[in-house]
Amino acid sequence: MSFFEFLAGNWTDVLEATLAHAVLVLEALGLAVLVGVPLAFLTYRTTAPRAAVLGAAGIFLTIPSYALFGLLIAPLGLGRGPSVLALTLYALLPVIRNTVVGLRELDPAVIESARAMGMGRLRMLATVELPLAWPVLLTGLRVAAQLLLGIAAIAAAVNGPGLGNLILDGLATAGTPFAIYLTIEGAAGIVVLAVVFDLLFAAVNRLTTPRGFGA
Amino acid sequence: MHDMTHGTTDERTAIRLDRIRKSYPGQTRAAVEDLSLEIPEGRIVVFVGPSGCGKTTTMKLINRLIEPTSGRIHLDGTDVTEMPAHQLRRRIGYAIQQTGLFPHRTVADNIATVPKMLGWNKARVTARVDELLQLVGLEPGTFRARYPKQLSGGQQQRVGVARALGGDPQVLLMDEPFGAIDPLNREALQNEFLRIQSQVRKTIVFVTHDIDEAVRMGDRIALFSQGGRVAQYDTPENILAEPADGYVADFIGAGASVRRLSLLLLGELAVPDWPVIGQSADDAEVAAAAARCARDRLLVLDADRRPTSWVPLFGPDRERGEKLPVQGSMGPRDSLFDALDHMLSTNTSVVAVVDEEGRHRGALEMDSVRSLINTAGRREPSGPPQEV
């Protein structure tokens, strides 16, 4: 049986796993934004707290993914819980760092003008700082998404959802006739998702970047 | 201490700095030291001084971008710390050298920033934006929807001024607003701004390090020395004519007497008359007019009394019987500096002076420029008149 004949037989499983994989990554990304962006807002003008936040987020990224997923089993059990949390922790660094960089690199004259015109802190954040830092923040999300798509395959090891299950099944049945096909399906699904995500981010970037930024 | 309240007494004080001091932790020297200053309503007061002298710091104390360590600031008699900073700032326009325009917003949205915060309705905001664009010389239809990046430096600066005027504030703070513009356009913008000010009559604090700009823009100049001390606070004329001390004299530099010329506008001076003849005068009339005067040339006027040319009475030009072109005449808004500059650059010894409508008023020679300088210098009743 060729690979494509095999695929014709289980493509619904592959599609299902691919969708689950995408949802898992988006959930983690969403959580990372909910946690990371406010942390960035709170600390970007400070020195020590900013270093602490970025340092902590950096440490998460250095923990081997197998270990982190495994460590989270103890508090959260198996399945979706540890998967989402582990991926969220990995996404924090690119999200926080790019938000901080985006905010810190804003033209000081623009910020001073906004203050001098009588804008309050929140209004300035919402109408000036966030829109201007947005392209850099979005790049952080794009990087985080690519990172998570790969790491999310490990989720299968803690009974999480996603394409990792196909890869793991392939590895578990290594030596049997179609084991390699399962692994290829899982890997190819991730590659396809990576391309799709990248295209989507490019589209979002184009649609949401303020026009005045054009060269 | 010198007198801080020059000028006529009917001038209302818009901003009063009362014994302001600003020091930063870890610095032995205060950025601003015990500064008291009264800024009259509707005038341009220029803070001038070398970099690091505290002039920008002092300006930013007024809208509380920087809070003073001690001392009081009163705006229209009210202590500025008595209202929330953001409310205070919406009443004070702010324009800076880097413009600080919002790059993600259109020109119209930039100018509308403060009006929107003040809760004006849409129609009023739109009308205000167009009014201000017109005021700063930008056609609303063309520029309303543009983004700052699509404008030249000078246009961005105009939008910056329009935005500062957005909420119709009584007070305008400007920090080297024309500092990044090339000299040619800078002068055009300065003149344009003076024209705008003659219409809007705001109380303006204008910071610069350029004494020429200070002299050109200021109704008053506060000359800062290190540590936020004001070495002299007076009209440009008085500062150039009578520097309070050696520091002021050094700062205004060697060209002070020449700079004063640019403050003497022809419209405010008694321009000496000059023999004229009509355009249709024949040789006999020219000869008769020549006989009546001791000048080397006659000014020819057309039917509307506008200068058209010179008739030389002596020298090789006379022998050729040619008339010489007027080569531009000086109007009431031109200064003695302009007149002198014109003589030197066109290599002529005399320049025609006209009124607002371009009609003949007289003419200036080197000698008459000198005597005008001397009489103008004695406008201040500081001593008995001297023989010229």
Side-chain angles (χ1 to χ4, degrees):
Chain A
M1 202 190 321
S2 76
F3 171 70
F4 290 103
E5 284 165 333
F6 182 82
L7 180 62
N10 78 338
W11 69 271
T12 48
D13 294 343
V14 175
L15 190 63
E16 215 170 283
T18 307
L19 286 176
H21 200 88
V23 169
L24 177 64
V25 166
L26 288 175
E27 279 173 349
L29 209 52
L31 272 176
V33 168
L34 285 180
V35 175
V37 172
L39 273 177
F41 281 154
L42 290 175
T43 58
Y44 81 97
R45 287 190 179 172
T46 63
T47 309
R50 173 166 52 98
V53 166
L54 285 173
I59 287 172
F60 289 133
L61 210 54
T62 62
I63 302 175
S65 36
Y66 244 116
L68 186 57
F69 279 87
L71 286 171
L72 291 172
I73 296 175
L76 296 172
L78 289 168
R80 190 166 208 88
S83 307
V84 171
L85 184 58
L87 291 179
T88 302
L89 294 177
Y90 284 122
L92 280 179
L93 183 66
V95 169
I96 297 176
R97 198 194 46 210
N98 276 52
T99 308
V100 166
V101 168
L103 291 171
R104 286 179 67 84
E105 282 183 352
L106 296 183
D107 181 354
V110 170
I111 302 305
E112 185 184 282
S113 293
R115 275 184 74 208
M117 281 189 287
M119 281 196 185
R121 193 71 197 84
L122 281 178
R123 186 196 294 265
M124 197 153 97
L125 207 56
T127 65
V128 179
E129 293 179 288
L130 192 54
L132 290 177
W134 175 246
V136 183
L137 205 166
L138 196 64
T139 304
L141 292 184
R142 196 168 170 172
V143 170
Q146 300 297 326
L147 187 75
L148 295 197
L149 282 170
I151 298 177
I154 310 293
V158 293
N159 281 358
L163 289 163
N165 288 301
L166 294 174
I167 299 172
L168 215 58
D169 286 352
L171 291 176
T173 55
T176 62
F178 309 122
I180 188 76
Y181 289 168
L182 280 168
T183 307
I184 290 175
E185 281 175 345
I190 291 174
V191 170
V192 169
L193 274 183
V195 172
V196 170
F197 269 58
D198 218 41
L199 289 175
L200 282 176
F201 272 109
V204 170
N205 186 25
R206 181 171 293 208
L207 289 174
T208 58
T209 299
R211 278 215 294 144
F213 281 15
Chain B
M1 267 323 265
H2 56 274
D3 186 6
M4 286 286 186
T5 52
H6 274 287
T8 48
T9 45
D10 60 338
E11 247 174 10
R12 281 193 58 226
T13 296
I15 305 167
R16 191 155 61 83
L17 307 185
D18 188 10
R19 309 205 56 156
I20 290 295
R21 189 186 140 81
K22 175 68 192 178
S23 56
Y24 291 97
Q27 285 179 16
T28 48
R29 214 170 161 185
V32 178
E33 184 76 68
D34 196 34
L35 176 66
S36 297
L37 204 64
E38 290 193 354
I39 293 166
E41 190 173 40
R43 299 299 166 93
I44 302 179
V45 171
V46 179
F47 290 181
V48 68
S51 33
C53 67
K55 55 192 192 296
T56 297
T57 304
T58 305
M59 184 198 79
K60 287 181 179 175
L61 288 168
I62 295 171
N63 66 352
R64 292 176 60 194
L65 283 179
I66 298 174
E67 301 280 359
T69 310
S70 66
R72 294 253 164 257
I73 298 170
H74 296 271
L75 182 67
D76 274 333
T78 320
D79 190 323
V80 294
T81 54
E82 277 172 20
M83 69 179 98
H86 66 270
Q87 267 178 36
L88 170 79
R89 291 177 189 149
R90 289 172 197 177
R91 292 173 52 195
I92 300 178
Y94 192 73
I96 53 177
Q97 179 178 335
Q98 311 86 329
T99 74
L101 293 177
F102 300 138
H104 61 304
R105 293 202 185 166
T106 61
V107 165
D109 285 340
N110 265 287
I111 298 173
T113 307
V114 174
K116 277 182 183 163
M117 283 193 285
L118 291 173
W120 295 11
N121 67 42
K122 222 175 170 181
R124 189 176 168 203
V125 172
T126 310
R128 180 69 180 158
V129 167
D130 286 359
E131 180 193 349
L132 285 170
L133 279 173
Q134 229 127 37
L135 183 71
V136 298
L138 297 173
E139 171 53 42
T142 313
F143 288 95
R144 220 187 271 125
R146 291 211 185 158
Y147 285 89
K149 272 220 175 125
Q150 299 168 314
L151 307 177
S152 71
Q155 289 167 341
Q156 288 183 16
Q157 213 47 260
R158 285 161 197 258
V159 175
V161 170
R163 185 174 71 167
L165 289 167
D168 204 11
Q170 306 105 307
V171 174
L172 215 54
L173 306 181
M174 310 181 85
D175 191 357
E176 308 231 8
F178 311 130
I181 311 287
D182 63 89
L184 216 75
N185 282 309
R186 186 187 311 148
E187 197 172 324
L189 275 174
Q190 288 167 339
N191 290 333
E192 183 119 352
F193 185 72
L194 289 174
R195 176 188 62 76
I196 292 170
Q197 165 66 352
S198 71
Q199 290 176 42
V200 297
R201 290 265 158 236
K202 302 292 182 192
T203 303
I204 297 172
V205 173
F206 189 108
V207 171
T208 181
H209 63 266
D210 176 358
I211 184 70
D212 288 316
E213 185 167 62
V215 167
R216 186 173 294 130
M217 305 300 289
D219 295 312
R220 299 287 165 75
I221 293 176
L223 207 149
F224 280 66
S225 64
Q226 293 298 327
R229 286 189 194 81
V230 173
Q232 190 169 6
Y233 182 43
D234 210 328
T235 61
E237 289 87 347
N238 287 342
I239 285 188
L240 291 177
E242 295 168 47
D245 54 29
Y247 172 80
V248 175
D250 279 351
F251 191 80
I252 60 184
S257 336
V258 177
R259 280 197 194 95
R260 279 183 64 216
L261 296 183
S262 63
L263 293 171
L264 302 172
L265 299 183
L266 296 178
E268 296 161 9
L269 298 171
V271 177
D273 202 9
W274 193 271
V276 296
I277 52 166
Q279 219 164 7
S280 53
D282 56 26
D283 284 351
E285 284 176 80
V286 171
R292 280 196 306 269
C293 75
R295 309 288 191 178
D296 67 342
R297 60 183 71 188
L298 300 173
L299 186 57
V300 183
L301 303 182
D302 66 10
D304 290 326
R305 291 189 60 78
R306 291 191 174 87
T308 58
S309 56
W310 297 103
V311 178
L313 300 177
F314 306 104
D317 292 330
R318 165 69 184 147
E319 272 128 45
R320 264 182 264 125
E322 279 172 11
K323 289 180 173 178
L324 300 174
V326 165
Q327 293 195 340
S329 46
M330 296 281 119
R333 305 284 309 154
D334 290 313
S335 64
L336 272 187
F337 180 87
D338 299 319
L340 206 55
D341 186 56
H342 184 82
M343 287 183 212
L344 294 174
S345 60
T346 58
N347 196 21
T348 50
S349 57
V350 56
V351 56
V353 178
V354 296
D355 65 12
E356 206 78 68
E357 281 81 39
R359 290 182 232 279
H360 171 72
R361 267 184 77 205
L364 286 175
E365 290 175 297
M366 287 288 183
D367 277 352
S368 44
V369 168
R370 189 159 52 216
S371 63
L372 280 175
I373 294 169
N374 290 336
T375 41
R378 280 190 282 107
R379 273 192 306 182
E380 298 292 323
S382 51
Q386 297 154 8
E387 275 313 309
V388 178

